[in-house]
Amino acid sequence: QEILAANKAMADQALRVLCAAQRLWSDLPQDTRIVSTGFSMGGLAALVYPMFANREIAGVVANSPVCNLLEHFHERRDLPRTLLNAFISYPDGLEEGLRSRSPIHRIDAMKRIPYFIVAGGADDQVSKANHADPLVKLMRDKNFDITYHEIPTMRHWHINDYDVWKSMMDFITER
């Protein structure tokens, strides 16, 4: 009961934040260019958001993104509880809830827009080999417009290569 009450409180707070953002954004002209961005779990949100957005998204930037929630569930000891709380009330069950919000499992629903993904070989929080690498392979196999930067020495979300960082900033400003 206590966990469900805390989960509902977090969901209610997230809903209030989203509603406030929607009110602010509702005044933007429909032709305002929006780039969906995020890192880690926010990278997952950046990848998934265009599927549900009520306006056109100009591109996506995902840094160290979670791309497969089914894989991520078992990746660290702290994740099962977090993901279970987030998806416990999903009508088709936990596994389907995780799959429904995983870019790897939703590749056919992803928008045909430009994507910029960066991932690090030294990331011990979100494995590049389990997330960005397989998603990028799927995207390339399906001819998505994808720019992928792999930085061997990069830890979780900390871009330590100026040229990659500048390329990311250029990607955003060119949209």
Side-chain angles (χ1 to χ4, degrees):
Q1 258 342 36
E2 186 177 316
I3 290 173
L4 290 176
N7 188 38
K8 183 178 181 333
M10 286 187 293
D12 289 347
Q13 176 65 21
L15 185 58
R16 284 192 294 277
V17 168
L18 288 172
C19 287
Q22 189 172 18
R23 281 192 301 278
L24 289 172
W25 292 344
S26 66
D27 291 339
L28 290 175
Q30 276 298 316
D31 62 350
T32 301
R33 306 291 286 172
I34 295 174
V35 176
S36 181
T37 66
F39 66 88
S40 193
M41 193 64 81
L44 177 139
L47 290 162
V48 172
Y49 175 70
M51 290 184 241
F52 302 98
N54 62 0
R55 62 187 316 139
E56 185 178 330
I57 303 302
V60 170
V61 172
N63 176 351
S64 304
V66 172
C67 301
N68 184 345
L69 287 170
L70 290 168
E71 176 69 33
H72 201 50
F73 189 90
H74 301 287
E75 208 159 21
R76 297 191 326 249
R77 290 184 57 209
D78 62 315
L79 294 169
R81 179 177 178 189
T82 301
L83 293 173
L84 182 62
N85 282 333
F87 290 94
I88 196 166
S89 61
Y90 194 82
D92 293 327
L94 176 65
E95 188 172 320
E96 185 54 35
L98 296 172
R99 184 177 283 110
S100 75
R101 294 300 183 255
S102 296
I104 281 178
H105 298 287
R106 298 294 309 273
I107 189 74
D108 291 328
M110 290 178 70
K111 298 294 182 180
R112 295 297 183 145
I113 56 178
Y115 290 83
F116 183 104
I117 297 176
V118 60
D123 190 336
D124 61 354
Q125 301 297 305
V126 177
S127 165
K128 179 177 95 57
N130 294 337
H131 293 276
D133 288 348
L135 177 64
V136 168
K137 181 185 181 327
L138 283 172
M139 293 176 83
R140 286 180 173 157
D141 288 349
K142 293 182 175 283
N143 297 312
F144 277 77
D145 180 354
I146 174 79
T147 301
Y148 185 38
H149 289 276
E150 303 172 73
I151 306 174
T153 59
M154 184 177 123
R155 296 184 56 81
H156 191 56
W157 73 266
H158 183 75
I159 297 175
N160 59 358
D161 181 315
Y162 174 77
D163 292 332
V164 173
W165 179 85
K166 180 160 182 350
S167 178
M168 181 177 70
M169 293 300 110
D170 290 345
F171 179 93
I172 292 169
T173 57
E174 289 168 3
R175 300 292 160 262

